Amino acid sequence: MITFQAPDISQFIQPYEIKCFAVSADERHVVWSCNSSGVFNLWAIDEQAAAPYQLTQHHQASDAIQIVASSEQKQPFILFTSDQDGDENMQIYAVAAHGGVPLPVRYDEGKRYFFGTVSEDGKRLYYGSNKENPLYLNIYCYDMESGDEQQLLTGVDAETHLQAISPDEQSLAYFVRYNHTNMKGYVRSGEQTLSLIPDATEEHKVANLTFANDEMVYFLTNYKEEYNYLASFSLKTGAFKKVMSIPAEEIASFQLTQPSGDIYLATSRGVRDSLYRYNVATKECEKLPIPVDVIYQWMVTETKTVYVLGSSPTKPANLYRKKADAKWQKITENRVPGASEHELVEPEVVYYDSYDGTRIESLYYPAKKEMSNGHTIVFPHGGPQFLERKEYYGWFQYFAAKGYNLFIPNFRGSTNYGTRFMKLIEGDWGGGPRRDIIWGIESLIQLGKMTRDQIIVMGASYGGYMSLLLFGRHPGYFVACVDICGPTNLFTMVESVPDHWKARMDSWIGNPIRDRERLIEQSPVTYLDNMKKPVMVVQGANDPRVKKEESDQIVEGLRAKDIEVDYLVFPDEGHGFGKKANEIKAVAEISRFLDQVINKNSEEMASSSMD
């Protein structure tokens, strides 16, 4: 009898990440950015190909793709962004539809381009950049025929991002972000600058600004409400109007369709997403079936074909297509090698009331019973105005298969739970959210889902920061801590973030002078003396968000006190992992570190029971 081994680290981590995708106007080509070969490149499929094929070998991630059909070009070509080893300095490149060597279109070393859109005739490229305005950004137009660049708008006050260009190219829609819950929307039309919400009296956010025609803009906003709704603004009359909303759901994105006039909307409610079709004439809203729990990107074509990029806890990210009156069809075939869906862990959704009665939604991955080691990993999410949802994450599946329970709370400040909940973290990074997590730990202990003295804390980005803070302020709860690219000192953090983030630091984290005592209290480096147990730190050397110096501080501080610290630095990564080999190595090293911790912890517990 042949006995096959259970899946190992590489099999859980091997499913690739799909960053973004684009579909040609004639729907003959679908192009996406993924790391299926171990590093990111562009891949495609077309009506003549039986399987996806690789377009580039530039080996870097992209965050935007557009397939351009130009009257001057015999064949469509592809515009896309790409950075360098995780530095997030996106440049704009072009490549032929059949692939090849990318050609730089907008490139300035050390600067960043924010892809916008292309004119309908495929001749002009619109985008933002920090190259001449690092704090607030500018908006530009580049003529791809003449090579001339024109600055259209100078950003002031805070980071300024292009959203859309009117069909006649005489107006542009953009937003100014003061922080994640305070984003103002505008239209520049000729010499006029029009506010999308005239005479707004309170903070709000806007998103997905879209021209329906030269005189009407549709967009999402939460102005005077808890959740995003669809609104419109008339350039002709200056009228702002609420169009529609879906109760207790955050509309995350929408698309206008022609000629039917239907509006498609993607929404989020806690850990799950949905897709709707809204009939403007009848005002009826129909919920559409989707093949995944979480949507990363989607679009609808003129033929009413729907494309979705998404995943579920037991389904890695894939591209799907649904033609009108047909079933969903997979375009990609991304799966966990050696493990079927039913062999993976479906998380439980667990609710609990925190210290002040605030309701918290969380995910709980129970360990495989036959492998359980009794330990639980508490995993605070990054962001922090983000959340963990019901999506595939190879790390969670691997550690559950290895015998760990995982507890992932969407503490106050997380998105998809309303405006007031999201704002609770602003100016309080290390207060309420930390207490939510401790309250969650106690709740799960009472439910029998977690065992005291067998708890590990691990997180990335803000989750790394929170892991260190929990480890330092509540040392009795945890036997070890794993920090992945987390801030360690809020004073140095607010000074070292990308320049265009700096305007939001005062309201988001705090002012080093005005809020000195609070920033001391909420910085993990303050609690080095309490960190007596093993710590592991993982960092990308090119991280532009949380500089390597943040990790250096905590490592050097702990080593100076003779505390055991494993420090793993990847010279060719940024804020996270773009290369599969590096990610697999990181998980393997974390797993080895935790094996040592729980073996030692089990020995100490056994010795204590004998005494």
Side-chain angles (χ1 to χ4, degrees), residues 277-295:
R277 180 171 54 228
Y278 176 71
N279 187 302
V280 176
T282 65
K283 294 183 169 49
E284 293 180 349
C285 196
E286 176 190 5
K287 189 172 184 178
L288 305 175
I290 55 175
V292 291
D293 288 312
V294 172
I295 299 171

Side-chain angles (χ1 to χ4, degrees), residues 10 40 74 101 104 109 123-124 226 232 383 447 467:
S10 63
F40 279 98
K74 293 182 180 180
V101 178
E109 187 172 352
K123 296 179 181 180
R124 287 166 298 283
E226 275 294 299
S232 66
L447 290 171
S467 295

Side-chain angles (χ1 to χ4, degrees), residues 15 34 104 177 183 192 228 284 308 342 355 372 470 480 521 540:
C34 74
R177 175 159 52 203
M183 300 159 61
Q192 279 189 306
N228 276 357
E284 293 180 349
V308 165
H342 75 269
Y355 64 94
S372 179
L470 287 164
E521 178 191 350

Side-chain angles (χ1 to χ4, degrees), residues 190-332:
E191 297 300 316
Q192 279 189 306
T193 298
L194 307 172
S195 173
L196 294 181
I197 306 180
D199 305 316
T201 57
E202 58 188 58
E203 290 186 359
H204 60 275
K205 57 182 178 174
V206 298
N208 209 167
L209 283 59
T210 303
F211 282 96
N213 51 52
D214 293 330
E215 296 183 347
M216 182 68 70
V217 176
Y218 282 81
F219 61 101
L220 302 175
T221 185
N222 65 343
Y223 183 61
K224 291 191 173 182
E225 296 196 15
E226 275 294 299
Y227 295 91
N228 276 357
Y229 55 89
L230 181 65
S232 66
F233 175 79
S234 170
L235 277 67
K236 187 174 182 179
T237 66
F240 161 74
K241 177 185 176 183
K242 179 179 177 179
V243 176
M244 61 86 69
S245 62
I246 298 175
E249 292 191 39
E250 181 89 347
I251 302 179
S253 56
F254 72 93
Q255 185 182 330
L256 308 176
T257 61
Q258 300 296 339
S260 68
D262 288 345
I263 301 174
Y264 287 75
L265 310 105
T267 70
S268 297
R269 184 170 187 170
V271 298
R272 297 179 180 87
D273 293 344
S274 299
L275 190 65
Y276 293 87
R277 180 171 54 228
Y278 176 71
N279 187 302
V280 176
T282 65
K283 294 183 169 49
E284 293 180 349
C285 196
E286 176 190 5
K287 189 172 184 178
L288 305 175
I290 55 175
V292 291
D293 288 312
V294 172
I295 299 171
Y296 304 131
Q297 185 186 343
W298 63 281
M299 67 172 292
V300 183
T301 67
E302 290 184 359
T303 64
K304 293 189 177 181
T305 300
V306 182
Y307 292 81
V308 165
L309 167 60
S311 79
S312 298
T314 61
K315 297 178 183 178
N318 275 293
L319 267 169
Y320 299 83
R321 173 174 52 206
K322 184 183 184 304
K323 297 183 178 181
D325 301 321
K327 294 182 179 181
W328 284 102
Q329 171 195 6
K330 267 187 184 180
I331 297 175
T332 56

